[in-house]
Amino acid sequence: MTPSVRLVLVHGSLFGADQWLGYAARLGPGVEVVAPDLPGHGSRQDEQFTWAGALATIAEAVESGPPEQPVVLAGHSLGGYLAAAYAARAPSSLAGLALLGAAAEPTGVGAGVYRGAARAYRQLGPRRVERVLRAQLHTLGTDPEVVDALGRQGSAIDALSAAWPAVMEHGGREQLR
């Protein structure tokens, strides 16, 4: 039997699909959870991140289910901006859209903070960034399985130099029309 809804979960920058570990079990059998790795992240860290490649990844996740199955697309941070971009291009393919930490206009002071963080992450290097992220996630009460997954796959620090400028170029409230 086909689950009643397909929930496509798109992770944030520095993470991969493992950000969503445990969600399928929590939501139950009526929800098919699909959580792809974006280019440059998770199992696809060796690939170059591009906006077009990330949107193609989302399109495949959304469109690969049965045509009668409703799809809800949810994205966190980087994944949220990409989810909004996909929804703007193919609104009739979705039954719902959820944006988590991706509603701000990616310009001005906020964008400057992200640029500064990207520079700092590159200077710190992947191992230190992962230690800092793991500590922050533990402090926030993140599921230990998700924190451990970050240690196994590593952070997607190399994708930042392409991902965040792409959000600043392509993301924004005009996608929400």
Side-chain angles (χ1 to χ4, degrees):
M1 182 164 90
T2 301
S4 59
V5 69
R6 172 181 275 236
L7 175 60
V8 177
L9 298 170
V10 187
H11 61 80
S13 56
L14 296 178
F15 297 96
D18 283 351
Q19 174 180 343
W20 308 108
L21 285 173
Y23 275 66
R26 290 182 187 106
L27 294 170
V31 179
E32 177 188 13
V33 174
V34 178
D37 279 319
L38 296 172
H41 297 77
S43 64
R44 299 174 65 188
Q45 280 191 21
D46 292 339
E47 296 178 37
Q48 177 67 34
F49 176 90
T50 65
W51 189 259
L55 286 174
T57 298
I58 293 169
E60 181 180 339
V62 167
E63 298 163 10
S64 63
E68 71 280 358
Q69 184 182 35
V71 178
V72 175
L73 176 61
H76 169 245
S77 189
L78 168 64
Y81 287 104
L82 286 160
Y86 176 84
R89 293 178 181 188
S92 63
S93 67
L94 301 174
L97 174 67
L99 306 178
L100 313 162
E105 192 70 23
T107 60
V109 176
V113 170
Y114 276 93
R115 285 188 188 101
R119 282 191 300 273
Y121 289 163
R122 282 191 298 276
Q123 290 173 350
L124 287 172
R127 293 204 191 279
R128 285 190 199 152
V129 169
E130 287 168 32
R131 281 196 304 267
V132 168
L133 285 174
R134 289 173 66 87
Q136 288 175 334
L137 293 171
H138 276 299
T139 300
L140 292 170
T142 302
D143 184 331
E145 185 180 14
V146 173
V147 177
D148 290 343
L150 176 63
R152 284 191 307 276
Q153 287 197 329
S155 65
I157 193 170
D158 292 337
L160 291 181
S161 60
W164 287 354
V167 167
M168 291 170 208
E169 178 182 347
H170 301 287
R173 64 179 168 249
E174 69 278 354
Q175 295 176 328
L176 300 177
R177 290 190 187 128

